[in-house]
Amino acid sequence: MAAWPASLPQNQFLNMTDLRQDARVRTKMDAGPAKMRPRFTAAVRTVVTPLALDGTQRQAFDSFWINDTQEGSLSFSWTDPVTDEAVNFRFVSPPAWKLVTGGNTANRLWQADLHLEVMP
């Protein structure tokens, strides 16, 4: 399994969102309160985290995306922002990069939001 590259920021989780999948089923009753039960036991967490990279880091990310995760189809190990333990992440969608500052390739600043799933 691939691991998040050491050449990229390791704990860039400021302003992230972390949403746990709803693993319940709510059933309306003819009378009285609705019933609730578990739908499944392995709920996925969706994490959206902003990422800012310089040009060199962007090239390292692109190599990681294309080669190590096979265009985002394979999971990878990275630090959980809640527990600081290694967990398996998977990309939900490809990142959409925005060029923030220009200059030569190495000095450009790129920003994107990574949409990830923490695998149970």
Side-chain angles (χ1 to χ4, degrees), residues 4-64:
W4 184 256
S7 61
L8 298 180
Q10 295 302 306
N11 296 310
Q12 194 167 339
F13 294 119
L14 229 67
N15 295 319
M16 67 167 287
T17 58
D18 186 347
L19 176 65
R20 186 169 184 87
Q21 181 181 20
D22 192 351
R24 308 169 298 165
V25 172
R26 184 179 175 98
T27 307
K28 186 175 178 182
M29 300 288 109
D30 290 336
K35 301 282 184 185
M36 291 189 89
R37 65 175 175 81
R39 179 180 301 188
F40 42 80
T41 57
V44 172
R45 285 172 41 215
T46 301
V47 173
V48 179
T49 186
L51 186 63
L53 302 177
D54 64 27
T56 304
Q57 292 172 322
R58 167 71 195 275
Q59 290 174 8
F61 178 88
D62 288 346
S63 176
F64 171 70

Side-chain angles (χ1 to χ4, degrees), residues 64-74 91 94:
F64 171 70
W65 168 266
I66 294 165
N67 301 313
D68 298 346
T69 68
Q70 294 182 8
E71 298 283 342
S73 63
L74 299 178
F91 287 99

